Amino acid sequence: MVLKIKIIGGNMPKVSIIVPVYNVEKYVKKCLDSLVNQTLEDIEIIIVNDGSTDNSKSIVLEYKEKYSAKIKYFEKENGGLSDARNFGIPHATGEYIAFLDSDDYVELDIYEKMYNKAKLENSDMVECDFIWEYTNKKHIDIGIVYDNKKDMLTYGRVVAWNKLIKRTIIEKYKIEFPKGLRYEDVEYFYKMLPYYNKVSFVKEPLIHYIQRESSISKVQNERTKEIFIVLNNVINYYKENDLYEDFKEELEYTYARILLCSSLFRIVKIKDKKVKKILLNKTWISLNEKFPNWKKNKILKTHKSNKNLYMRTVNKFTFRIYSFIFSIVK
């Protein structure tokens, strides 16, 4: 059920930024400083305290008191990142919606640049590049500019927080983040994708994506298997909404790429050998049951990249070899 909130008086904010907060007392000040000082003044910052048990709440309330015109504050029982984002969406009244994790921060002109691009090109979604920020190094992530939805499904970066999305589209199709699952951005990105008729790009790294070793997403264990649920949710969604045939080639390629690349790299890092073995077997079985002819995929066969070259060499025998090699590579 989507909560409808009417604006009484005043103008619609240009951008609503939804910020889930959970035990980030060391990071949230930097995040909020980067938001309250945006060059785009007509924004609303929707903070959802997802049951924090540290000092996050008191820090956020200080900002709420000081910047009451910009900040909306809500708190709820802990339900995870997806649940907090979903909670915040109905409270957004901006023309566009952005998501930002509270341990990251942004450049002060990010939303001005992205909003101006959206208005200039009448965009349904705008995305920007970002910076992977480690303790002692940084890496700029430069995305591919795609021309159509099929290329977006094939090459798109699935993260939610480098995008500005038209609120009316989110409300119309009622796509939510999957509650209680890892890889929530994967499901949200692919479910929203068919409804973007115009996508634009700001080719600058405007978000600082902080890499915390203590982050739950960094720990590989039995929960790593949730990628299978997320991918199946996507496939089922496309089938149920008569989208599957239009995107079958791209979905097959993406399913194979995720399982044989990013997911496999995570699984081999699981310390519990029994769990690791089970998930490795599940990877190979799931791929070949869901898409038995994946090796004949046109994208895999014709698009030149090191990733595709590797995937073309994968078979039942080499899969085991690669699994071992990846497990010993740091």
Side-chain angles (χ1 to χ4, degrees), residues 5 21 40 62 107 111 125 181 183 195 212 227 256 276 291 293 295 306:
I5 298 176
V21 169
L40 181 67
E62 289 177 11
E107 293 295 312
Y111 296 116
M125 188 270 278
L181 294 175
Y183 320 115
Y195 309 120
R212 292 192 290 152
I227 189 63
K276 177 164 64 176
F291 295 105
N293 297 312
K295 290 293 290 282
N306 290 334

PDB file of all heavy atoms in Angstrom, residues 5 21 40 62 107 111 125 181 183 195 212 227 256 276 291 293 295 306:
ATOM      1  N   ILE A   5       0.879  11.474  -0.006  1.00  0.00           N
ATOM      2  CA  ILE A   5       1.027  12.669   0.821  1.00  0.00           C
ATOM      3  C   ILE A   5       0.814  13.894  -0.056  1.00  0.00           C
ATOM      4  O   ILE A   5       1.501  14.082  -1.062  1.00  0.00           O
ATOM      5  CB  ILE A   5       2.419  12.712   1.463  1.00  0.00           C
ATOM      6  CG1 ILE A   5       2.599  11.516   2.379  1.00  0.00           C
ATOM      7  CG2 ILE A   5       2.626  14.005   2.227  1.00  0.00           C
ATOM      8  CD1 ILE A   5       3.963  11.439   2.977  1.00  0.00           C
ATOM      9  N   VAL A  21      19.424   5.482   7.989  1.00  0.00           N
ATOM     10  CA  VAL A  21      20.486   5.618   8.987  1.00  0.00           C
ATOM     11  C   VAL A  21      20.419   4.438   9.950  1.00  0.00           C
ATOM     12  O   VAL A  21      19.379   4.183  10.560  1.00  0.00           O
ATOM     13  CB  VAL A  21      20.338   6.944   9.769  1.00  0.00           C
ATOM     14  CG1 VAL A  21      21.271   6.966  10.979  1.00  0.00           C
ATOM     15  CG2 VAL A  21      20.613   8.134   8.865  1.00  0.00           C
ATOM     16  N   LEU A  40      22.060  23.175  -4.870  1.00  0.00           N
ATOM     17  CA  LEU A  40      20.634  23.150  -5.190  1.00  0.00           C
ATOM     18  C   LEU A  40      19.884  23.275  -3.871  1.00  0.00           C
ATOM     19  O   LEU A  40      19.834  22.343  -3.075  1.00  0.00           O
ATOM     20  CB  LEU A  40      20.256  21.847  -5.901  1.00  0.00           C
ATOM     21  CG  LEU A  40      18.792  21.714  -6.320  1.00  0.00           C
ATOM     22  CD1 LEU A  40      18.440  22.724  -7.406  1.00  0.00           C
ATOM     23  CD2 LEU A  40      18.486  20.298  -6.786  1.00  0.00           C
ATOM     24  N   GLU A  62      20.324  16.804  15.867  1.00  0.00           N
ATOM     25  CA  GLU A  62      20.996  18.103  15.881  1.00  0.00           C
ATOM     26  C   GLU A  62      20.870  18.783  14.523  1.00  0.00           C
ATOM     27  O   GLU A  62      20.617  19.991  14.436  1.00  0.00           O
ATOM     28  CB  GLU A  62      22.472  17.924  16.245  1.00  0.00           C
ATOM     29  CG  GLU A  62      22.725  17.555  17.699  1.00  0.00           C
ATOM     30  CD  GLU A  62      24.213  17.330  17.977  1.00  0.00           C
ATOM     31  OE1 GLU A  62      25.030  17.662  17.096  1.00  0.00           O
ATOM     32  OE2 GLU A  62      24.540  16.819  19.068  1.00  0.00           O
ATOM     33  N   GLU A 107      29.441  15.258  -3.565  1.00  0.00           N
ATOM     34  CA  GLU A 107      29.938  16.588  -3.898  1.00  0.00           C
ATOM     35  C   GLU A 107      28.802  17.600  -3.714  1.00  0.00           C
ATOM     36  O   GLU A 107      27.621  17.269  -3.880  1.00  0.00           O
ATOM     37  CB  GLU A 107      30.442  16.620  -5.340  1.00  0.00           C
ATOM     38  CG  GLU A 107      31.683  15.777  -5.581  1.00  0.00           C
ATOM     39  CD  GLU A 107      32.895  16.295  -4.830  1.00  0.00           C
ATOM     40  OE1 GLU A 107      33.163  17.516  -4.900  1.00  0.00           O
ATOM     41  OE2 GLU A 107      33.582  15.494  -4.161  1.00  0.00           O
ATOM     42  N   TYR A 111      23.426  17.392  -6.911  1.00  0.00           N
ATOM     43  CA  TYR A 111      22.003  17.376  -7.252  1.00  0.00           C
ATOM     44  C   TYR A 111      21.619  18.548  -8.153  1.00  0.00           C
ATOM     45  O   TYR A 111      20.662  18.434  -8.932  1.00  0.00           O
ATOM     46  CB  TYR A 111      21.166  17.309  -5.980  1.00  0.00           C
ATOM     47  CG  TYR A 111      21.416  16.011  -5.246  1.00  0.00           C
ATOM     48  CD1 TYR A 111      22.000  15.999  -3.978  1.00  0.00           C
ATOM     49  CD2 TYR A 111      21.146  14.793  -5.854  1.00  0.00           C
ATOM     50  CE1 TYR A 111      22.274  14.794  -3.332  1.00  0.00           C
ATOM     51  CE2 TYR A 111      21.422  13.584  -5.210  1.00  0.00           C
ATOM     52  CZ  TYR A 111      21.987  13.598  -3.955  1.00  0.00           C
ATOM     53  OH  TYR A 111      22.279  12.411  -3.330  1.00  0.00           O
ATOM     54  N   MET A 125      15.500   9.239 -15.717  1.00  0.00           N
ATOM     55  CA  MET A 125      16.557   8.881 -14.773  1.00  0.00           C
ATOM     56  C   MET A 125      17.875   9.485 -15.233  1.00  0.00           C
ATOM     57  O   MET A 125      18.176   9.512 -16.427  1.00  0.00           O
ATOM     58  CB  MET A 125      16.687   7.352 -14.658  1.00  0.00           C
ATOM     59  CG  MET A 125      17.628   6.880 -13.559  1.00  0.00           C
ATOM     60  SD  MET A 125      19.337   6.688 -14.132  1.00  0.00           S
ATOM     61  CE  MET A 125      19.267   5.061 -14.887  1.00  0.00           C
ATOM     62  N   LEU A 181      16.722  -8.869   2.134  1.00  0.00           N
ATOM     63  CA  LEU A 181      17.661  -9.535   1.235  1.00  0.00           C
ATOM     64  C   LEU A 181      18.868  -8.646   0.958  1.00  0.00           C
ATOM     65  O   LEU A 181      18.758  -7.425   0.892  1.00  0.00           O
ATOM     66  CB  LEU A 181      16.997  -9.875  -0.098  1.00  0.00           C
ATOM     67  CG  LEU A 181      15.869 -10.897  -0.081  1.00  0.00           C
ATOM     68  CD1 LEU A 181      15.239 -11.010  -1.467  1.00  0.00           C
ATOM     69  CD2 LEU A 181      16.366 -12.260   0.391  1.00  0.00           C
ATOM     70  N   TYR A 183      21.796  -7.553  -1.856  1.00  0.00           N
ATOM     71  CA  TYR A 183      21.764  -7.301  -3.298  1.00  0.00           C
ATOM     72  C   TYR A 183      20.444  -6.649  -3.707  1.00  0.00           C
ATOM     73  O   TYR A 183      19.923  -6.862  -4.801  1.00  0.00           O
ATOM     74  CB  TYR A 183      22.023  -8.596  -4.095  1.00  0.00           C
ATOM     75  CG  TYR A 183      23.091  -9.450  -3.461  1.00  0.00           C
ATOM     76  CD1 TYR A 183      22.804 -10.705  -2.948  1.00  0.00           C
ATOM     77  CD2 TYR A 183      24.394  -8.975  -3.313  1.00  0.00           C
ATOM     78  CE1 TYR A 183      23.767 -11.476  -2.318  1.00  0.00           C
ATOM     79  CE2 TYR A 183      25.373  -9.736  -2.683  1.00  0.00           C
ATOM     80  CZ  TYR A 183      25.052 -10.980  -2.184  1.00  0.00           C
ATOM     81  OH  TYR A 183      26.009 -11.745  -1.558  1.00  0.00           O
ATOM     82  N   TYR A 195      10.939   0.943 -17.467  1.00  0.00           N
ATOM     83  CA  TYR A 195      10.056   2.107 -17.427  1.00  0.00           C
ATOM     84  C   TYR A 195      10.788   3.427 -17.642  1.00  0.00           C
ATOM     85  O   TYR A 195      10.172   4.497 -17.621  1.00  0.00           O
ATOM     86  CB  TYR A 195       9.299   2.117 -16.095  1.00  0.00           C
ATOM     87  CG  TYR A 195       8.644   0.788 -15.822  1.00  0.00           C
ATOM     88  CD1 TYR A 195       8.967   0.035 -14.689  1.00  0.00           C
ATOM     89  CD2 TYR A 195       7.732   0.240 -16.725  1.00  0.00           C
ATOM     90  CE1 TYR A 195       8.383  -1.203 -14.454  1.00  0.00           C
ATOM     91  CE2 TYR A 195       7.144  -1.002 -16.497  1.00  0.00           C
ATOM     92  CZ  TYR A 195       7.474  -1.717 -15.367  1.00  0.00           C
ATOM     93  OH  TYR A 195       6.898  -2.947 -15.145  1.00  0.00           O
ATOM     94  N   ARG A 212      33.854   0.183   3.806  1.00  0.00           N
ATOM     95  CA  ARG A 212      34.072  -0.190   5.211  1.00  0.00           C
ATOM     96  C   ARG A 212      34.271  -1.694   5.312  1.00  0.00           C
ATOM     97  O   ARG A 212      33.415  -2.461   4.888  1.00  0.00           O
ATOM     98  CB  ARG A 212      32.872   0.213   6.067  1.00  0.00           C
ATOM     99  CG  ARG A 212      32.660   1.694   6.223  1.00  0.00           C
ATOM    100  CD  ARG A 212      31.635   1.945   7.315  1.00  0.00           C
ATOM    101  NE  ARG A 212      30.284   1.542   6.942  1.00  0.00           N
ATOM    102  CZ  ARG A 212      29.357   1.162   7.816  1.00  0.00           C
ATOM    103  NH1 ARG A 212      29.629   1.086   9.099  1.00  0.00           N
ATOM    104  NH2 ARG A 212      28.142   0.831   7.409  1.00  0.00           N
ATOM    105  N   ILE A 227      21.570 -13.933  -3.632  1.00  0.00           N
ATOM    106  CA  ILE A 227      21.627 -13.469  -5.013  1.00  0.00           C
ATOM    107  C   ILE A 227      20.746 -14.328  -5.917  1.00  0.00           C
ATOM    108  O   ILE A 227      20.145 -13.832  -6.880  1.00  0.00           O
ATOM    109  CB  ILE A 227      23.084 -13.444  -5.536  1.00  0.00           C
ATOM    110  CG1 ILE A 227      23.156 -12.756  -6.903  1.00  0.00           C
ATOM    111  CG2 ILE A 227      23.665 -14.849  -5.607  1.00  0.00           C
ATOM    112  CD1 ILE A 227      22.744 -11.314  -6.914  1.00  0.00           C
ATOM    113  N   ALA A 256      23.941 -15.016 -16.330  1.00  0.00           N
ATOM    114  CA  ALA A 256      25.205 -15.757 -16.406  1.00  0.00           C
ATOM    115  C   ALA A 256      26.374 -14.917 -15.898  1.00  0.00           C
ATOM    116  O   ALA A 256      27.234 -15.408 -15.158  1.00  0.00           O
ATOM    117  CB  ALA A 256      25.456 -16.207 -17.844  1.00  0.00           C
ATOM    118  N   LYS A 276      30.285 -23.099   1.232  1.00  0.00           N
ATOM    119  CA  LYS A 276      30.908 -22.717  -0.038  1.00  0.00           C
ATOM    120  C   LYS A 276      30.667 -23.773  -1.108  1.00  0.00           C
ATOM    121  O   LYS A 276      30.298 -23.450  -2.246  1.00  0.00           O
ATOM    122  CB  LYS A 276      32.409 -22.486   0.169  1.00  0.00           C
ATOM    123  CG  LYS A 276      33.151 -22.143  -1.118  1.00  0.00           C
ATOM    124  CD  LYS A 276      34.512 -21.557  -0.852  1.00  0.00           C
ATOM    125  CE  LYS A 276      35.443 -22.533  -0.173  1.00  0.00           C
ATOM    126  NZ  LYS A 276      36.805 -21.976  -0.001  1.00  0.00           N
ATOM    127  N   PHE A 291      18.994 -21.330 -17.776  1.00  0.00           N
ATOM    128  CA  PHE A 291      19.356 -20.990 -19.147  1.00  0.00           C
ATOM    129  C   PHE A 291      20.302 -22.063 -19.707  1.00  0.00           C
ATOM    130  O   PHE A 291      21.517 -21.870 -19.754  1.00  0.00           O
ATOM    131  CB  PHE A 291      20.023 -19.615 -19.203  1.00  0.00           C
ATOM    132  CG  PHE A 291      19.127 -18.487 -18.819  1.00  0.00           C
ATOM    133  CD1 PHE A 291      19.266 -17.859 -17.588  1.00  0.00           C
ATOM    134  CD2 PHE A 291      18.129 -18.055 -19.673  1.00  0.00           C
ATOM    135  CE1 PHE A 291      18.439 -16.813 -17.228  1.00  0.00           C
ATOM    136  CE2 PHE A 291      17.294 -16.997 -19.328  1.00  0.00           C
ATOM    137  CZ  PHE A 291      17.441 -16.377 -18.102  1.00  0.00           C
ATOM    138  N   ASN A 293      21.069 -22.967 -22.590  1.00  0.00           N
ATOM    139  CA  ASN A 293      21.825 -22.608 -23.797  1.00  0.00           C
ATOM    140  C   ASN A 293      22.596 -21.302 -23.630  1.00  0.00           C
ATOM    141  O   ASN A 293      22.870 -20.606 -24.604  1.00  0.00           O
ATOM    142  CB  ASN A 293      20.863 -22.497 -24.987  1.00  0.00           C
ATOM    143  CG  ASN A 293      20.189 -23.805 -25.304  1.00  0.00           C
ATOM    144  OD1 ASN A 293      20.847 -24.842 -25.388  1.00  0.00           O
ATOM    145  ND2 ASN A 293      18.870 -23.786 -25.467  1.00  0.00           N
ATOM    146  N   LYS A 295      25.617 -20.620 -23.191  1.00  0.00           N
ATOM    147  CA  LYS A 295      26.903 -20.520 -23.912  1.00  0.00           C
ATOM    148  C   LYS A 295      26.720 -20.015 -25.349  1.00  0.00           C
ATOM    149  O   LYS A 295      27.666 -19.557 -25.975  1.00  0.00           O
ATOM    150  CB  LYS A 295      27.609 -21.882 -23.924  1.00  0.00           C
ATOM    151  CG  LYS A 295      28.154 -22.348 -22.585  1.00  0.00           C
ATOM    152  CD  LYS A 295      29.302 -21.475 -22.088  1.00  0.00           C
ATOM    153  CE  LYS A 295      30.562 -21.622 -22.882  1.00  0.00           C
ATOM    154  NZ  LYS A 295      31.329 -22.832 -22.572  1.00  0.00           N
ATOM    155  N   ASN A 306      37.287  -8.820 -21.700  1.00  0.00           N
ATOM    156  CA  ASN A 306      37.989  -9.854 -20.947  1.00  0.00           C
ATOM    157  C   ASN A 306      37.002 -10.729 -20.162  1.00  0.00           C
ATOM    158  O   ASN A 306      37.199 -11.941 -20.011  1.00  0.00           O
ATOM    159  CB  ASN A 306      38.998  -9.219 -19.994  1.00  0.00           C
ATOM    160  CG  ASN A 306      40.166  -8.601 -20.716  1.00  0.00           C
ATOM    161  OD1 ASN A 306      40.505  -9.013 -21.835  1.00  0.00           O
ATOM    162  ND2 ASN A 306      40.799  -7.605 -20.113  1.00  0.00           N
TER     163      ASN A 306
END
